Amino acid sequence: MLLTRPVLLLKWILLIPTIIANANPPEEPVKCSNKLTNCTITNSYGAFPDRSICRAAEVAYPSSEEELVSVVANATQAKRKMRVATRYSHSIPKLVCPDGDDGLIISTENLNSVINIDQEKMLVTLESGVTLRQLITEAAESGLALPYSPYWWGLTIGGLLGTGAHGSTLWGEGSAIHDYVVRMRIVTPSGLGENYAKVRTLEDSGDIDGDMKAAKVSLGVLGVISQVTLKLQPLFKRSITFVTKNDTDLSDQAAIFGRQHEFADITWYPSQKLAFYRKDDRVSSNVSGNGLWDHPGFRAVPSVALAILRSTEEDQEGKGDVTGKCNNGKLTTTLLIKGAYGLTNDGILFKGYPVIGNQNRLQASGGCLKGPNNAEITACPWDSRVKGLFFHQTTFSIVLSKAKDFIQDVQNLVGIVPQSLCGVDMYNGILMRYVTGSNAYLGKQEDSLDFDITYYRSKDPKRPRLHEDVLEEIEQMAVFKYDGFPHWGKNRNVAFVGAIKKYNKAREFLKVKEKYDPLGLFSSEWTNQVLGLSDGLTMVKEGCALEGLCICSEDIHCAPQKGYLCRPGKVFKEARVCSLIQARSNR
Ligand SMILES: Cc1cc2nc3c(=O)[nH]c(=O)nc-3n(C[C@H](O)[C@H](O)[C@H](O)COP(=O)(O)OP(=O)(O)OC[C@H]3O[C@@H](n4cnc5c(N)ncnc54)[C@H](O)[C@@H]3O)c2cc1C
Ligand SMILES: *[C@@H]1O[C@H](CO)[C@@H](O)[C@H](O)[C@H]1NC(C)=O
Ligand SMILES: *[C@@H]1O[C@H](CO)[C@@H](O)[C@H](O)[C@H]1NC(C)=O
Ligand SMILES: *[C@@H]1O[C@H](CO)[C@@H](O)[C@H](O)[C@H]1NC(C)=O
Ligand SMILES: *[C@@H]1O[C@H](CO)[C@@H](O)[C@H](O)[C@H]1NC(C)=O
């Protein structure tokens, strides 16, 4: 009885693709009290890890490279701080903030055209604000495809490169978008002699100075990328089959599976001891099939349903109803399996595996980006304008040779606290993707397995989460014990502690930064902190560990009045996590 309501809701959300044709795109991240001045800027979740509000004196929307050059020149002459924002600004960390109150935001929203598609050479040249959705659609119209990409349409080419975003593969040139860049134009500050700004053209071939290796993944600190040329492939077909297995041999499979299937990934539900394997390979284009992937988590959801879903979870958190969370988690998983994860054989119905179709219909999706803007009716699940999902994301990659031990450690942890990761199942489990070593200075050092974990975040920063300690232990285990590399565009502050030291070529990156922007106009407090140039990455204060702003060293960093005290980890003893010690009170 108790379950009826959530069951219906989840069905509604996961199984009925588009009862409502009107989805609606996320909000503009930049808002100004006057037209283009006195602005605040946020990310698409409406909250940075530290929940600070970020201000800028002005925003500019250049619509050509020429305008971009003059914007950068003006700001350089005035020694003004600058940062680049994008159409939706999907990164979680505070990358987009310029320091102080006088900063300038340069938005790439109007730098949004595909400039040229060379079918013969299979090259596409784009302005940096073009979204993944646009790129995929326009390339397919010319019979071309980007082989590996993130799964979400709403990212821009500049933003994807900025944080080293990727899909999943160990094959070919690898999983990251930046490894398909052959040419790039970037606008950087300059001196009076060059009118304060210059356009630099970088080529992947003949990159003697390593500038391209720096610019491919730059966190936006080198200047503004104006245009990007990517190497594509002829459009091809894929055949996808999801196979559900128990997770007994997951730690062995993890290293092998990615070599067996070109687009392999694994979704892991540790509490249910289940793993979904994506067996996904190219097939000849004469194999019939018009399959479509419409990721359930990226669809437009009625705002009313989102509110009920969120309230249910808040209620379970408040009451300490772990069993309720586990039930909902199982239900979500069952519905996902039944619904083939949003796959259909023909764009309408799922009739069975394999699902075969063109790359452009299977590689990414984003139902909630379509249609007019009316968040009161439907929204992306995380849209901050409505009461919807609000979560943390801990995302890191661990080199393949160490992934086995990491998985076993997590399994041991779940062995000790069996229900501790149920909450993760409600956010589609732990997504594991294959990522490849790259020559980009801030790209992956070696072939690795990327773990993507999404979990409940309270609207109240002082309020602990159920089984807070287990996720904190996994986070610290990943980055400290297994030297995991945090995704630059996700994570809480803690994951970035010591991260830059893991990059062999960090110094080379900083040399290029010094050469392109000696005054650090494109750098901010946050970029300096993650690049190891200044302190303050973690913030030690009351309750700081709850939001991942610090690693606790005293009880006060947790929530002692609610029974959460700073304690060692259960498997990784060096971890310091907020554990529920006393019987918890309801408030
Ligand atoms: C629903 C969802 C799904 C996701 N899926 C994946 C996934 O499958 N794989 C993955 O790897 N990541 C994924 N991400 C993370 C995402 O790829 C990164 O956060 C990405 O950087 C966001 O791109 P954006 O266009 O929103 O850029 P922003 O977040 O706005 O910017 C990112 C950085 O790039 C800089 N930048 C942007 N444009 C330029 C430019 N023209 N010149 C110079 N600097 C620039 C910005 O200043 C900033 O530092 C996902 C995120 C969400 C919200
Ligand atoms: C700037 O905007 C803030 C609100 O965001 C407002 O309180 C303030 O008065 C504005 N200042 C000016 C000079 O417009
Ligand atoms: C550059 O600055 C001048 C004066 O400060 C201003 O009039 C002009 O509009 C600015 N140009 C751009 C592109 O911002
Ligand atoms: C997991 O599945 C394998 C077969 O794939 C089986 O042999 C094994 O007993 C299962 N383990 C558990 C714990 O169910
Ligand atoms: C598809 O094309 C391949 C060659 O690319 C050929 O060997 C095969 O017989 C074709 N199959 C069908 C069903 O036409």
Side-chain angles (χ1 to χ4, degrees):
M1 245 351 254
L2 231 149
L3 269 175
T4 321
R5 199 170 66 169
V7 173
L8 285 175
L9 255 171
L10 282 165
K11 274 202 173 152
W12 192 7
I13 290 165
L14 298 171
L15 292 185
I16 306 176
T18 23
I19 357 170
I20 296 162
N22 289 350
N24 58 90
E27 190 173 35
E28 288 282 328
V30 186
K31 288 201 204 72
C32 305
S33 71
N34 298 320
K35 246 172 125 190
L36 297 173
T37 58
N38 192 23
C39 312
T40 58
I41 166 118
T42 183
N43 56 21
S44 68
Y45 307 95
F48 294 114
D50 64 2
R51 303 195 191 219
S52 61
I53 289 172
C54 172
R55 303 198 143 277
E58 202 179 339
V59 59
Y61 292 92
S63 55
S64 66
E65 187 177 87
E66 212 180 345
E67 277 177 41
L68 174 60
V69 169
S70 97
V71 168
V72 172
N74 254 15
T76 302
Q77 187 175 11
K79 294 200 169 62
R80 223 169 164 190
K81 286 281 191 175
M82 292 168 262
R83 290 296 292 163
V84 180
T86 62
R87 171 65 184 84
Y88 308 117
S89 284
H90 272 114
S91 293
I92 296 174
K94 237 164 78 179
L95 284 166
V96 73
C97 296
D99 291 341
D101 286 342
D102 186 45
L104 170 69
I105 295 281
I106 302 173
S107 169
T108 61
E109 185 167 343
N110 296 338
L111 287 171
N112 58 2
S113 14
V114 175
I115 296 169
N116 181 46
I117 299 185
D118 182 336
Q119 272 172 290
E120 204 171 312
K121 293 193 177 132
M122 297 191 280
L123 297 176
V124 58
T125 301
L126 321 154
E127 288 185 316
S128 63
V130 166
T131 61
L132 184 58
R133 179 185 181 195
Q134 234 180 316
L135 162 58
I136 290 171
T137 311
E138 299 211 16
E141 281 167 11
S142 297
L144 298 173
L146 186 64
Y148 316 104
S149 71
Y151 297 170
W152 160 245
W153 274 346
L155 312 166
T156 64
I157 186 68
L160 291 164
L161 297 182
T163 64
H166 56 82
S168 184
T169 197
L170 290 176
W171 297 28
E173 302 299 312
S175 58
I177 305 279
H178 55 253
D179 286 328
Y180 296 82
V181 176
V182 296
R183 198 174 310 123
M184 189 190 279
R185 289 166 70 85
I186 181 168
V187 180
T188 66
S190 192
L192 172 60
E194 287 174 310
N195 288 326
Y196 296 106
K198 82 192 229 184
V199 183
R200 299 173 190 257
T201 304
L202 310 180
E203 301 268 350
D204 197 43
S205 54
D207 178 30
I208 308 158
D209 298 336
D211 290 12
M212 183 63 137
K213 295 185 189 88
K216 273 179 181 181
V217 181
S218 71
L219 310 183
V221 299
L222 301 183
V224 189
I225 297 166
S226 147
Q227 293 178 14
V228 180
T229 302
L230 297 170
K231 176 86 182 162
L232 304 183
Q233 297 181 355
L235 186 60
F236 56 88
K237 274 188 160 172
R238 275 160 74 168
S239 169
I240 308 177
T241 301
F242 276 107
V243 177
T244 310
K245 290 175 53 174
N246 66 38
D247 74 354
T248 311
D249 64 344
L250 179 67
S251 63
D252 290 319
Q253 285 298 328
I256 312 167
F257 188 64
R259 307 260 175 229
Q260 292 169 338
H261 301 280
E262 183 175 357
F263 305 94
D265 72 26
I266 304 170
T267 309
W268 182 22
Y269 303 91
S271 293
Q272 300 177 59
K273 304 198 186 305
L274 280 182
F276 286 12
Y277 293 82
R278 176 198 281 259
K279 292 190 169 171
D280 188 344
D281 293 284
R282 270 175 218 242
V283 290
S284 160
S285 57
N286 59 11
V287 180
S288 73
N290 192 28
L292 182 76
W293 189 27
D294 183 10
H295 193 304
F298 300 160
R299 285 180 198 156
V301 177
S303 305
V304 184
L306 283 176
I308 299 174
L309 208 61
R310 176 70 187 181
S311 300
T312 308
E313 195 173 13
E314 281 173 347
D315 203 44
Q316 287 164 341
E317 285 278 334
K319 289 183 184 140
D321 180 10
V322 179
T323 310
K325 282 203 125 173
C326 290
N327 287 339
N328 277 11
K330 271 185 204 147
L331 207 89
T332 312
T333 315
T334 309
L335 291 172
L336 278 173
I337 296 177
K338 274 198 194 153
Y341 249 86
L343 285 171
T344 50
N345 301 82
D346 53 8
I348 303 164
L349 283 175
F350 174 68
K351 296 168 201 136
Y353 292 118
V355 169
I356 295 164
N358 280 325
Q359 165 72 348
N360 62 307
R361 285 168 60 84
L362 293 171
Q363 69 186 121
S365 66
C368 63
L369 288 176
K370 299 185 214 162
N373 198 331
N374 59 343
E376 311 82 52
I377 304 174
T378 70
C380 292
W382 57 84
D383 192 319
S384 59
R385 287 169 296 183
V386 300
K387 179 169 180 168
L389 303 185
F390 188 55
F391 45 76
H392 282 303
Q393 256 181 347
T394 295
T395 303
F396 46 83
S397 47
I398 292 180
V399 296
L400 275 181
S401 55
K402 297 184 189 169
K404 175 178 175 147
D405 290 341
F406 172 71
I407 291 170
Q408 288 177 347
D409 270 358
V410 174
Q411 287 174 326
N412 291 338
L413 199 48
V414 172
I416 300 169
V417 206
Q419 295 185 309
S420 58
L421 292 181
C422 288
V424 169
D425 295 355
M426 294 166 71
Y427 295 85
N428 298 354
I430 300 179
L431 177 59
M432 294 156 60
R433 289 188 284 191
Y434 294 94
V435 292
T436 39
S438 167
N439 67 7
Y441 293 149
L442 299 185
K444 304 297 175 202
Q445 307 284 287
E446 290 177 54
D447 291 355
S448 308
L449 194 53
D450 183 84
F451 296 79
D452 211 325
I453 313 176
T454 306
Y455 50 98
Y456 180 85
R457 181 181 188 186
S458 172
K459 289 276 175 186
D460 173 359
K462 295 278 170 65
R463 185 150 202 142
R465 223 178 349 275
L466 284 174
H467 292 297
E468 170 97 30
D469 51 349
V470 172
L471 278 161
E472 282 175 10
E473 186 171 344
I474 291 173
E475 183 179 46
Q476 291 175 39
M477 195 153 74
V479 297
F480 301 130
K481 181 172 176 187
Y482 291 100
D483 290 321
F485 291 77
H487 191 304
W488 293 114
K490 303 186 184 185
N491 288 296
R492 320 189 305 164
N493 293 26
V494 161
F496 293 100
V497 172
I500 194 66
K501 298 203 189 89
K502 300 172 190 169
Y503 291 86
N504 301 325
K505 296 285 175 67
R507 196 164 310 182
E508 279 77 354
F509 179 81
L510 293 176
K511 272 189 215 148
V512 178
K513 169 170 135 60
E514 187 58 33
K515 175 163 97 181
Y516 281 16
D517 181 20
L519 297 178
L521 298 178
F522 280 95
S523 295
S524 66
E525 204 172 39
W526 176 254
T527 64
N528 283 336
Q529 287 163 351
V530 292
L531 291 173
L533 300 174
S534 61
D535 299 331
L537 187 58
T538 58
M539 304 175 187
V540 178
K541 56 181 186 183
E542 195 181 331
C544 55
L546 304 175
E547 289 268 83
L549 298 176
C550 70
I551 297 164
C552 69
S553 55
E554 292 168 37
D555 293 340
I556 192 72
H557 302 148
C558 298
Q561 69 291 354
K562 296 190 173 77
Y564 283 76
L565 307 180
C566 187
R567 289 290 180 268
K570 295 179 172 66
V571 170
F572 177 43
K573 306 284 183 203
E574 286 83 353
R576 288 294 174 274
V577 299
C578 297
S579 290
L580 178 59
I581 302 299
Q582 303 152 12
R584 66 201 302 288
S585 73
N586 264 346
R587 284 275 114 207

